[in-house]
Amino acid sequence: MLQQFFSLSLTYAAILVSQSLPLTSDRLSVAQKLITGDRVAKQASKPGITFLAFGGGGSPANNEIALEKNLLYFQRTLKSLGFNPAEASIFFANGNDRSATIRYVDNHDKEKFKPPEIPHLKGSATLANLRSWFGQYVQTNPHNKQLFFYFTGHGILNEQNPDDNSLLLWQEQHISVREFSQLLDLLPAQTLIAMMMAQCYSGSFANIIYADGDPEKPLAKQNRCGFYATIKTLPSVGCTAEVNESDYRDYSSSFFAGLSGRSRTGEAVPSADYNKDGKVSYLEAHAFAKVDEKSTDLPVSTSEVWLQGQSSRQLRDRTFSQPIAALLQTARPEQRYVVNSLIEKLNLNPSFSFKKNRENLIFAQPGLDSPEEKAYLTRLQMELISISVESKIRSSQNPTQIATLDRLLKCEQGHWRM
């Protein structure tokens, strides 16, 4: 049953970067001033967090404009949370050589290309630049304790070993989970590393928690965690050549909206501070995205991948036979938000088990209405498994498993509020 389900698959600057035409050089100048602002441009970035972002396709043919707009939204999110976007290291596609490499569809549905127009762009998203950045970071930031890495681009499925999928970089270069993990190994042991990846098959990168990215090896020396648009065997949505951002429905849009409280088009969104501690953690932004993102994606975090890996068929059968309300008694606040929201969206009864609810739902809606509804049902199933496995681990008093879980959650509960 589980495998069957898994197989389913404020400002004028904000207006400028989200409208239906690409930025001209004049618009870029205005947008850059408004994205940074005189006050923000003069201030130093908040201490403690270094931001690195890579994005774009491997060539103009798959270098969609949505990928550029994702990085512009990332910059706006940084600014809204008090950081200086100019100090984030951003690498995109062909970089600053002014070649027209970004594919978009104009108002007449004609395919066109334009050069990247991202303020403060450091260079091209090549493998050499990625390796060089990590090498320089180790030399110049030996005491920096936090790194946040964002990737918005394409992923490559390793059909022989989906635990070692790859990121696609510019010039059709790629780097696998294990190769990327070896770059992370260069950083000091005390560095906390969090990442958000929106590419296809991105869930494979949950294995960065292990030495060399190999799930057969012990945990890495650093505390690492990540949030991924979908599981390791499925593609994700969001790589579009359409320019209207109000139509974008993808994981990174929802994640940053939850983190900052502002959508990519500038509207306020409901607070994702589910534990009411005055700040939104990565884990809470991830929970927000699971409900907000109207797509077939199945978002996962490192702790969720790890928890689901500790499950068994017997545990899953027992989980799906219990009343959902009973399972929620041990859930964390963000987990309760996800479950209750998905129950409401699917019009389920929390007094019934998942199994009973599913039977009733299929009886009322044979085949369900849409792929998105099927994805919501699978997201609910995954959330219940995570809650159930965590409860079992907590009650087992196994110190090794509890320590591993607490370590992952500590990383995932990081935030940008300083």
Side-chain angles (χ1 to χ4, degrees), residues 185-192 221-223:
D185 288 340
L186 299 173
L187 305 184
Q190 70 270 22
T191 307
L192 187 148
K221 63 181 180 179
Q222 306 99 346
N223 193 357

Side-chain angles (χ1 to χ4, degrees), residues 184-368:
L184 300 181
D185 288 340
L186 299 173
L187 305 184
Q190 70 270 22
T191 307
L192 187 148
I193 303 165
M195 61 185 64
M196 196 273 279
M197 294 183 165
Q199 78 276 12
C200 296
Y201 317 112
S202 52
S204 178
F205 279 79
N207 289 317
I208 54 97
I209 67 174
Y210 301 106
D212 295 327
D214 185 350
E216 299 299 320
K217 293 185 177 182
L219 294 175
K221 63 181 180 179
Q222 306 99 346
N223 193 357
R224 308 172 182 173
C225 64
F227 302 89
Y228 312 99
T230 193
I231 61 176
K232 64 186 178 182
T233 55
L234 289 182
S236 63
V237 303
C239 296
T240 177
E242 300 294 331
V243 297
N244 188 357
E245 290 192 64
S246 63
D247 294 333
Y248 288 10
R249 299 288 183 270
D250 64 285
Y251 177 71
S252 66
S253 296
S254 296
F255 182 93
F256 287 128
L259 197 65
S260 67
R262 290 278 172 183
S263 73
R264 65 186 306 144
T265 52
E267 292 86 3
V269 302
S271 173
D273 182 16
Y274 304 121
N275 64 3
K276 309 299 182 185
D277 67 349
K279 53 185 175 288
V280 177
S281 68
Y282 305 140
L283 201 56
E284 289 171 320
H286 177 61
F288 177 92
K290 291 181 190 177
V291 177
D292 179 68
E293 187 202 1
K294 302 173 180 65
S295 80
T296 56
D297 285 345
L298 302 178
V300 290
S301 71
T302 43
S303 68
E304 290 164 351
V305 172
W306 184 83
L307 284 167
Q308 290 163 20
Q310 312 301 310
S311 69
S312 64
R313 182 170 185 175
Q314 292 77 14
L315 183 144
R316 294 192 294 268
D317 289 342
R318 188 164 59 250
T319 298
F320 301 144
S321 298
Q322 295 182 57
I324 293 176
L327 292 168
L328 285 179
Q329 292 179 10
T330 62
R332 288 178 264 113
E334 72 278 0
Q335 292 174 320
R336 286 197 296 271
Y337 166 76
V338 172
V339 172
N340 287 329
S341 299
L342 294 177
I343 284 175
E344 183 178 352
K345 285 180 178 293
L346 293 166
N347 195 27
L348 305 182
N349 187 335
S351 299
F352 295 163
S353 67
F354 176 86
K355 182 178 179 181
K356 180 65 174 177
N357 271 301
R358 178 183 175 276
E359 290 171 353
N360 292 345
L361 186 62
I362 291 178
F363 178 79
Q365 304 177 48
L368 299 181

Side-chain angles (χ1 to χ4, degrees), residues 29-232:
S29 177
V30 174
Q32 180 166 340
K33 290 177 182 178
L34 286 167
I35 286 174
T36 57
D38 291 337
R39 179 183 63 82
V40 175
K42 292 176 183 178
Q43 74 179 31
S45 285
K46 295 180 180 182
I49 304 180
T50 297
F51 295 97
L52 171 64
F54 266 65
S59 68
N62 58 14
N63 191 31
E64 296 85 0
I65 194 170
L67 302 176
E68 178 192 46
K69 287 178 176 287
N70 284 348
L71 289 173
L72 293 170
Y73 182 33
F74 173 64
Q75 290 182 321
R76 298 196 299 277
T77 301
L78 287 171
K79 180 174 180 287
S80 71
L81 292 178
F83 292 91
N84 184 352
E87 296 191 6
S89 297
I90 298 180
F91 298 83
F92 179 81
N94 58 301
N96 298 306
D97 67 9
R98 302 301 301 163
S99 299
T101 61
I102 297 178
R103 185 171 68 89
Y104 71 97
V105 177
D106 69 11
N107 292 333
H108 303 288
D109 291 328
K110 291 185 178 180
E111 182 181 79
K112 292 186 176 180
F113 293 85
K114 73 177 194 69
E117 296 173 292
I118 301 173
H120 318 300
L121 186 60
K122 303 298 185 193
S124 58
T126 60
L127 184 57
N129 279 343
L130 183 65
R131 288 173 171 164
S132 175
W133 187 92
F134 274 97
Q136 293 178 15
Y137 177 82
V138 171
Q139 295 177 10
T140 58
N141 296 274
H143 304 299
N144 198 300
K145 297 297 181 65
Q146 293 188 54
L147 169 65
F148 185 91
F149 176 72
Y150 172 41
F151 183 80
T152 175
H154 298 282
I156 302 171
L157 174 65
N158 182 340
E159 295 182 354
Q160 284 70 44
N161 181 13
D163 282 326
D164 195 30
N165 294 339
S166 297
L167 304 177
L168 179 65
L169 301 176
W170 187 243
Q171 297 175 338
E172 304 294 346
Q173 300 171 337
H174 54 85
I175 183 169
S176 70
V177 172
R178 296 187 182 181
E179 292 168 333
F180 185 75
S181 296
Q182 288 164 3
L183 287 180
L184 300 181
D185 288 340
L186 299 173
L187 305 184
Q190 70 270 22
T191 307
L192 187 148
I193 303 165
M195 61 185 64
M196 196 273 279
M197 294 183 165
Q199 78 276 12
C200 296
Y201 317 112
S202 52
S204 178
F205 279 79
N207 289 317
I208 54 97
I209 67 174
Y210 301 106
D212 295 327
D214 185 350
E216 299 299 320
K217 293 185 177 182
L219 294 175
K221 63 181 180 179
Q222 306 99 346
N223 193 357
R224 308 172 182 173
C225 64
F227 302 89
Y228 312 99
T230 193
I231 61 176
K232 64 186 178 182

